[in-house]
Amino acid sequence: MKREFTQERLGDVFRAFASRSDFTCAIPYGTGHINDTFKVTANQGGAVVIFTMQRINTTIFKQPENVMSNIVQITTHLGERLVAERTVDASRRALQVVLTRQGEDFYREADGSCWRLYVYVDQAFTVDCVEHAADAYTAALAFGQFQRLLADLPGGGASLVETIPGFHDTRSRYAAFKAALKEDALGRAAEVGPEIEFALAHEGLADILPPLVAAGDIPLRVTHNDTKINNVLLDATTREGICVIDLDTCMPGLALYDFGDMVRAGTNNAAEDTTEPEKVVSRADVFEALARGFLAGAGCLTPAEVEYLPLGGQLMTLECGIRFLADYLQGDVYFRTQRPRQNLDRCRSQFALVASQLKQNDVFRKAVAEAARDAAG
Ligand code: ADP
Ligand code: GN1
Ligand code: MG
């Protein structure tokens, strides 16, 4: 049976951590599809302190100790850099993990639920859907800088574990989609004929990157891999992208994944789950802002990386679309849903966005070339 998140339970979980404060209350927080997030208010020596407490989705992240080991390495590295450089507001610019009273990086409840605690980054907000292109620029700059700062992670990323194997292996995502289609567990395949057709018609996009990676033209880097626009906190006053969050999938990957997922989440003029996919357009102004921000933040990318940035957007959007479709076929078991057919709407929105990107390919390629010239010069 599913256990409820009562205040009593959340307080007990919170008290497992060495927060040096007393629990006041916890409220559900954020719009993420994966973890259960709570904003905890506590009292420390009479002052109000706030934390973000998350139950890690262990159906998806089967080895939370690996996830947390990656996150501790990454946040420690970022934090040390910020402090060494005497950065103003350093404690708001990298997530800070609070350990348990036993000194562990996560807490396991008796029922097996795994929890972690972060310092809450106050006076910041996230956007699910970009309104101002300037927000896209600053978010992309933050994700680009994040990637650059992780380039000298001790061990070069070799000590990071792949928390979800093949996370952006689009070919294996296709294999999983086809298996879900074949099984058709709920008999839903009959109603998604056009979406199946779209997915299969664009499968060739999955074959372009692997040979470039094998040849070394596109290098493996330490990447975030879930660069949805709401995974960067924007400062409430300046709107600057100040803190990259949601680090569960940080592991070796391609710069194109990080740029591509920003294009997927940021350029959509409609909500990810819009019920009007025919109105979906990939915004060229936002695309340009993302290219400028990412190239300015990430520093030096190889010529092949720069050339294939627009493909990154198409590929990440297509891949996410087939993941939503596969989940719909399997009965909505992966992504959190709030209503029936939401995963199908999400899939349709992604596919419309792929079509819009393909239509504007020349414009997007030109925008990347110009942004790369400006970043270099
Ligand atoms: P999910 O994997 O479910 O997307 P996230 O780690 O992205 O979970 O967290 C969900 C939401 O919680 C974020 O979009 C953000 O609004 C908020 N959040 C997470 N961590 C912090 C933090 N340290 N400070 C402030 N807000 C946070
Ligand atoms: C999930 O955790 P969240 O909501 O930021 C998913 C991403 C998808 C995204 C689609 C671990 O991201 O891969 O692109 O939903 N995260 C995981 O909105 O699967
Ligand atoms: Mg998130």
Side-chain angles (χ1 to χ4, degrees):
M1 225 196 32
K2 221 174 150 187
R3 280 180 64 213
E4 297 213 1
F5 295 121
T6 59
Q7 291 296 305
E8 193 189 0
R9 176 182 178 191
L10 294 168
D12 284 344
V13 171
F14 180 76
R15 281 183 285 273
F17 291 91
S19 73
R20 296 163 189 265
S21 62
D22 307 314
F23 179 84
T24 307
C25 64
I27 52 165
Y29 199 69
T31 56
H33 296 341
I34 305 296
N35 298 303
D36 295 301
T37 305
F38 298 88
K39 179 177 175 180
V40 176
T41 304
N43 177 315
Q44 187 174 61
V48 175
V49 282
I50 316 177
F51 297 88
T52 300
M53 193 165 83
Q54 282 185 323
R55 187 173 71 151
I56 304 167
N57 185 327
T58 44
T59 310
I60 293 174
F61 298 103
K62 299 202 186 310
Q63 287 173 296
E65 59 280 10
N66 290 344
V67 171
M68 291 313 296
S69 155
N70 284 3
I71 292 180
V72 167
Q73 289 177 61
I74 286 165
T75 52
T76 304
H77 181 70
L78 295 175
E80 274 169 8
R81 286 283 290 268
L82 291 165
V83 171
E85 289 163 18
R86 298 188 176 151
T87 313
V88 175
D89 249 8
S91 70
R92 295 175 72 234
R93 290 178 184 271
L95 282 180
Q96 298 191 62
V97 175
V98 180
L99 301 181
T100 69
R101 296 202 329 264
Q102 266 70 42
E104 310 281 349
D105 46 32
F106 71 99
Y107 169 67
R108 200 185 289 269
E109 254 183 309
D111 72 351
S113 292
C114 294
W115 295 83
R116 67 181 161 219
L117 192 70
Y118 291 122
V119 169
Y120 180 81
V121 179
D122 203 12
Q123 301 302 313
F125 66 101
T126 54
V127 290
D128 290 334
C129 197
V130 172
E131 191 184 338
H132 313 289
D135 291 347
Y137 175 86
T138 193
L141 185 68
F143 278 127
Q145 283 167 343
F146 180 83
Q147 191 172 110
R148 184 153 51 85
L149 288 171
L150 292 180
D152 61 354
L153 191 72
S159 55
L160 297 182
V161 186
E162 215 182 346
T163 55
I164 300 181
F167 190 57
H168 285 311
D169 177 352
T170 312
R171 283 170 166 164
S172 77
R173 293 291 188 183
Y174 261 98
F177 157 65
K178 286 177 187 172
L181 183 57
K182 195 162 166 215
E183 190 183 355
D184 193 17
L186 285 93
R188 290 177 170 179
E191 59 170 308
V192 295
E195 287 72 32
I196 296 170
E197 203 178 306
F198 186 95
L200 298 178
H202 292 83
E203 193 173 352
L205 285 176
D207 294 328
I208 302 172
L209 288 185
L212 295 163
V213 175
D217 295 335
I218 297 187
L220 265 186
R221 300 179 185 276
V222 176
T223 51
H224 182 282
N225 298 304
D226 187 3
T227 52
K228 209 164 153 172
I229 226 76
N230 67 13
N231 283 333
V232 55
L233 301 176
L234 306 185
D235 183 272
T237 310
T238 63
R239 291 190 93 92
E240 178 197 355
I242 48 153
C243 187
V244 169
I245 60 166
D246 206 345
L247 309 178
D248 297 319
T249 54
C250 278
M251 53 188 164
L254 307 185
L256 306 195
Y257 300 156
D258 280 4
F259 181 72
D261 202 56
M262 278 190 274
V263 172
R264 178 192 77 75
T267 70
N268 195 338
N269 67 328
E272 184 180 71
D273 62 348
T274 177
T275 52
E276 298 180 305
E278 65 286 354
K279 293 191 183 158
V280 165
V281 171
S282 181
R283 284 175 55 181
D285 61 332
V286 174
F287 182 93
E288 190 195 330
L290 291 174
R292 288 189 180 279
F294 188 65
L295 287 167
C300 217
L301 296 186
T302 68
E305 283 178 308
V306 173
E307 181 179 349
Y308 287 95
L309 284 179
L311 174 74
Q314 296 153 18
L315 199 60
M316 288 300 99
T317 314
L318 176 68
E319 181 188 281
C320 199
I322 60 171
R323 289 174 63 198
F324 286 140
L325 186 55
D327 198 31
Y328 182 68
L329 292 170
Q330 290 173 313
D332 310 307
V333 291
Y334 186 98
F335 296 102
R336 179 181 297 129
T337 52
Q338 288 84 26
R339 58 179 170 81
R341 298 168 71 85
Q342 193 172 8
N343 274 321
L344 178 56
D345 288 333
R346 288 170 175 157
C347 159
R348 288 179 172 153
S349 166
Q350 303 311 293
F351 286 175
L353 195 65
V354 173
S356 177
Q357 287 176 60
L358 288 169
K359 211 161 123 190
Q360 300 178 83
N361 198 23
D362 290 344
V363 179
F364 285 9
R365 285 175 65 93
K366 202 163 151 247
V368 166
E370 277 170 15
R373 249 196 322 272
D374 293 350

